[in-house]
Amino acid sequence: MTDRTSVLIRRLLLVVIAALGAITAPDVLAQICVNCGGPVGFRVHAFDGLIARNGGQCLDYQPEVVGSPVVLSDCTVAHAVVVHEIPNQRHEVYLRAGTKVIGVRRSLPVPGDDIDDGSPAGVAVDPLLELQDPGVLCTSVLDRPCVADQTFALDGDSIRLAANRQRVVKVLNGRGAAGTPIVVGARSLDSAEFWEFRAVDGSQRAPTSAFVTVSTLADLLARLAPYGSCLPDEEPPTPCPALPADDGTVITIDGTIEVDESIRPLQIPEGVTIRGDRRGVTLGGELRKTGAPEGAETLLEIAGHNVRITNLRLRGPSRSNGGDQAQSNAISVVEGDSEAWNDFRGSIIDRNDISDWAWRGVYVKGLETTSACTDPTDPRGWPAFTWVARNFIHHNRAYEKGYGVNANSGGFPLIDGNVFTENRHAIAATEASAHTGYRAWHNLVLSEAPWQRSTFHTHDFDVHGRASGGKGGRAGGYVDLYRNTFLGTNRHNFEIRGMPCKFVDVRNNVFVQERQDALSVDVGVFSSIDVPFVVPQPRAQFDQPNPTRGLGVGDFDGDGVQDLFLATGSAWYYSPQGVAEWRFLNDNPDRLDTLLFGDFDGDGRTDVLGKNGRRLVASWGGASDWDTVTETAAPMRDLAIGDFDASGLADIFYADGATWFVAYDNRPFVEVNTSSYRVRQLRFGDFDGSGTTDVFGVVSGAWRVSYSAVSAWTFLRSRLSDTVNSLHVADFDGNGTADVATLDILPVFNLLRYRWRVSRDGIGGWGALTPPTFLPPAAIGAFVADDPRAGLLQWNDNAFWRALYGAPTTTRHSRQNMR
């Protein structure tokens, strides 16, 4: 019997078994929770519920038949989904779509390939969600619905596959267009996998009984007491209760809860999520430690697998840089219960604001004591069981303490997409045994750092040696620095203080200083060592220009207010409304001068346009992989973006020196006008309030406009400038039509004075736009909610100040360090 024949016979037997199972299997929908208040419909808002256009984008299905794909639709027309809670300890759910349920599409595997991924052998794809009849008890049969394909777990803003909680429901490639399929894919913590459940009856109810909200310390302690968090030891000591496994509870912090020094660390057991509502410019719920006794005191302690701490503000007792503070930590996780290395798995600490901790923002500790290098494996395959991702970690400033993230004694976290400022060390590895280290990927380290003893700054990332004073001897196992951006120039960006068991990878980072200043080895006064740094070519990652000197503008979260965009050369970041701190967006290395911006899929988010050969490609919301939009041989410098047909989708304008072309709504370019004017000689805006983009130029001694790029040049007024070089077009007065502004730079002694003047609607004479200032311009956009006026953001090299038409003074705009 051939191998293929045996495989086919085995599959035939499984089909028969499954058919019998379908006869005797209980109706899974009869198992739903009968004490959860009855079925309630929810609109499931995509992209963290921030998109404002058309009520947002929601999970939807059409029609209600088996096999229909689950897709995105405008929330105003999307079907509601009923969440049925399964009465088990893990609070798992079925998602009911009318008479069907939502499940993962299965397909028979290619012969000889026992892995069902819905694709040809060896080609992995994310399976689609679809409508299914309620499933049968699971077997190995791959061609019919199975309960496991229809069972999900909610952890606050993610919909996880219950059978494999590293797989989450997400929008295919993050594209927000109506009709985009919904898939189950690997967790990446980007906006495409965040959802918000909103009850259609307006009740504000949560989707399951696992969701609880607390607003006082007493409420929080009551919720955590069954898990082991309790009041201080009495006499005699009273032990805390044992921790249950895989609970699935989601505890939301509402408002500010102060936790004083009498409270033990709040232990978070397996499967529990602690969360706030930190998104956009909303600060969200806050846990604040008001003091700490002698010795180290921790606020939150991860005490099991699959714990998540997300979207919270975690504030410590002080941001002083003095060395006499009590030692305090925001979050601790012990990766092991013996000599085992990395025991707790699946812990995620993401999108939090962590500040004011004297010792550590996040402490990842193993229990490994040996420094002997006995592991022969390639360290690039080592697992990182704690994921510290997309947090803002700042003002942990204490002398000889002040760590943003600290790996210790075998701890080996993935530290990914965070923004650091004003930490003594952003990342450190201490008690650096054989496996101690970290992967630091896509982090942005700003220039500000605390003075230490009023005389010096210390380095950003480091690994301690195990010899006296932390210098010399073993220095952990492996460190990987990949696509980080370091803006500091008054200290070393990375320092290692001994010999690692393996090596140090320094790959595709951006340093604004030279290599000898960016990387350092310090093993003590009387010793020397040749640390195995692996710094691949090209070496251009050193001595790079400061990327904050050029910023993009767009609405990258879709909330209706414009944001700032930063491309560092290693990754992209954005600042919601220019108010909040930089947040990781994408690991794309393309720089600002190669990019354009517009909403090409109509979801309300700004997409990023780039070029790959002839292909014009979009990154949806700036967060996805590239997708082809259209094609042209034209260079990017000859292209501009607008909505020339008022369709709500961005169009691409191309001028070749003889003819103007427009690619409408992602279609091929078509000829729309004849003109010798190229993009560098033009400006773009809506000069008649029609909703279409018009083309502005200085033509035949006058300011003229071509409406929608298709009309002949039409007179606006006699020219107030000879070229467009110093002109900026935006709606500065908020009346719905474009204005034309100019920037005059005037020397005043050894300083430069910036004066903005405006021609309202492009037909008035010059008038003052804002008060003169010594702050240089940074960006122009509508950065204030419910105010249509385009404002000027001005830059004092660390923060943004906003000037608006008609406002007598400038005001502080950004609430954090921005460089």
Side-chain angles (χ1 to χ4, degrees), residues 109-189:
V110 175
D113 175 14
D114 284 335
I115 300 174
D116 171 34
D117 56 15
S119 68
V123 180
V125 296
D126 291 337
L128 300 173
L129 289 188
E130 64 176 2
L131 298 195
Q132 300 175 350
D133 285 324
V136 299
L137 295 180
C138 297
T139 70
S140 298
V141 176
L142 303 175
D143 63 344
R144 65 180 302 146
C146 169
V147 170
D149 299 329
Q150 302 168 354
T151 308
F152 300 94
L154 311 180
D155 71 353
D157 54 16
S158 300
I159 305 172
R160 300 179 295 170
L161 189 64
N164 179 357
R165 300 199 178 194
Q166 299 309 308
R167 309 291 288 180
V168 296
V169 172
K170 61 199 308 182
V171 181
L172 180 63
N173 199 32
R175 183 172 186 175
T180 300
I182 309 301
V183 300
V184 173
R187 196 164 206 171
S188 61
L189 298 175

Side-chain angles (χ1 to χ4, degrees), residues 609-760:
L609 188 76
K611 200 163 190 293
N612 184 358
R614 286 186 54 88
R615 293 189 305 125
L616 288 171
V617 290
S619 171
W620 308 114
S624 78
D625 294 333
W626 292 119
D627 246 353
T628 298
V629 172
T630 189
E631 293 189 356
T632 181
M636 291 292 281
R637 65 177 178 272
D638 286 333
L639 304 179
I641 305 299
D643 185 1
F644 297 94
D645 58 357
S647 69
L649 298 182
D651 309 314
I652 307 170
F653 174 94
Y654 166 41
D656 68 0
T659 305
W660 291 352
F661 304 85
V662 174
Y664 293 103
D665 301 348
N666 307 329
R667 297 194 295 269
F669 282 89
V670 295
E671 181 178 336
V672 297
N673 214 328
T674 56
S675 174
S676 62
Y677 280 65
R678 306 187 82 125
V679 165
R680 65 179 178 273
Q681 300 167 292
L682 303 171
R683 295 293 183 263
F684 300 86
D686 181 2
F687 284 88
D688 61 358
S690 65
T692 64
T693 300
D694 309 314
V695 184
F696 171 93
V698 183
V699 182
S700 301
W703 284 2
R704 301 179 189 270
V705 64
S706 170
Y707 292 108
S708 305
V710 298
S711 78
W713 287 116
T714 302
F715 179 84
L716 283 178
R717 61 153 297 130
S718 58
R719 70 177 186 266
L720 297 176
S721 63
D722 293 329
T723 70
V724 299
N725 294 344
S726 67
L727 301 184
H728 302 264
V729 171
D731 184 7
F732 294 101
D733 58 7
N735 70 347
T737 58
D739 309 306
V740 180
T742 186
L743 172 62
D744 304 317
I745 304 176
L746 310 171
V748 178
F749 299 108
N750 293 325
L751 300 174
L752 296 178
R753 186 168 179 260
Y754 300 89
R755 183 182 67 182
W756 287 90
R757 295 179 292 159
V758 64
S759 167
R760 297 184 64 187

Side-chain angles (χ1 to χ4, degrees), residues 472-546:
R474 180 62 54 217
Y478 172 63
V479 170
D480 181 21
L481 308 185
Y482 176 63
R483 285 194 172 173
N484 303 284
T485 300
F486 298 90
L487 301 185
T489 58
N490 54 12
R491 71 261 188 197
H492 297 304
N493 303 125
F494 175 75
E495 181 170 282
I496 191 164
R497 302 183 185 182
M499 174 62 78
C501 282
K502 300 296 185 178
F503 50 90
V504 176
D505 264 330
V506 182
R507 305 178 292 139
N508 304 96
N509 300 277
V510 167
F511 302 91
V512 298
Q513 55 187 350
E514 295 282 2
R515 172 174 173 159
Q516 63 269 21
D517 297 317
L519 306 181
S520 171
V521 177
D522 184 358
V523 294
V525 176
F526 301 108
S527 60
S528 62
I529 193 170
D530 185 15
V531 172
F533 278 106
V534 178
V535 184
Q537 298 293 336
R539 303 177 68 86
Q541 59 188 306
F542 299 100
D543 196 26
Q544 294 296 291
N546 181 353

Side-chain angles (χ1 to χ4, degrees), residues 86-98:
I86 302 170
N88 62 21
Q89 182 176 329
R90 297 176 299 278
H91 301 283
E92 294 165 345
V93 301
Y94 305 121
L95 301 176
R96 187 69 178 261

Side-chain angles (χ1 to χ4, degrees), residues 32 54 86 97 100 341 382 470 520 661 734 807 814:
I32 64 174
N54 296 323
I86 302 170
K100 308 302 178 186
W341 167 52
W382 288 359
S520 171
F661 304 85
S814 57

